Amino acid sequence: MTNDDFEFSQPDTKDEAVLAVYDTAWLLYDDHDIHVLSGRYKISPDVKREVTRWILFLDSSHEYVWPKIAWPGSDPQKRVRIGGVWRRRLLWQFQALSQAEADTFLAAGDYEAWPFASRADFKSALRSPRRLSGKIAA
């Protein structure tokens, strides 16, 4: 699947978790060139681990508790402090959050476990994944 295929396949849903993951996935690719996530566009093992956590969440029965913001999988604190750096990608600053917005978002759960509300929920889902095999770091 190319980045264009992904971008034009936005899910038709009101499920906030699905929309939050879809929105955050935009940060994983360059939308200026058509490509797949390989070669110079390859994502790092750390990012793959995060994406695996997102998939595990979507396939679990855990409730999504986070307030709606753009790119919820990118650290809101870092976006406030440095105006748009997530992982190794430089983003435009048009979606920077205020400190109050970041604080409200981060108060909803344990951000290190996002999109899960807590590490306990994440570990619970890891014990009985519906589709994923193998292990990812908790």
Side-chain angles (χ1 to χ4, degrees):
M1 172 180 261
T2 69
N3 57 324
D4 275 2
D5 294 336
F6 177 79
E7 197 157 317
F8 296 120
S9 65
Q10 180 171 3
D12 183 21
T13 183
K14 292 182 193 260
D15 185 319
E16 290 298 325
V18 171
L19 296 172
V21 168
Y22 177 83
D23 190 39
T24 300
W26 178 79
L27 301 175
L28 301 176
Y29 61 90
D30 179 345
D31 59 2
H32 294 283
D33 298 312
I34 297 174
H35 62 87
V36 295
L37 294 178
S38 64
R40 74 178 226 187
Y41 298 104
K42 183 178 179 178
I43 59 176
S44 71
D46 288 343
V47 173
K48 279 185 183 180
R49 203 169 6 267
E50 285 189 45
V51 171
T52 302
R53 188 177 64 240
W54 305 349
I55 294 167
L56 182 66
F57 177 83
L58 292 174
D59 207 31
S60 77
S61 59
H62 292 279
E63 183 179 347
Y64 187 74
V65 300
W66 300 90
K68 186 174 182 173
I69 63 169
W71 313 318
S74 66
D75 189 332
Q77 278 301 114
K78 290 181 182 174
R79 286 165 51 191
V80 169
R81 275 188 257 131
I82 54 181
V85 174
W86 186 71
R87 303 293 173 236
R88 295 179 313 220
R89 301 200 53 164
L90 181 63
L91 302 173
W92 299 280
Q93 296 185 24
F94 62 83
Q95 286 289 338
L97 299 176
S98 70
Q99 188 65 53
E101 290 170 312
D103 290 347
T104 298
F105 182 81
L106 293 171
D110 180 348
Y111 183 72
E112 293 299 315
W114 187 90
F116 291 95
S118 68
R119 291 177 210 206
D121 287 351
F122 174 43
K123 288 179 181 182
S124 169
L126 276 174
R127 284 192 290 276
S128 56
R130 292 184 190 171
R131 272 178 251 251
L132 300 172
S133 62
K135 297 195 182 235
I136 59 174

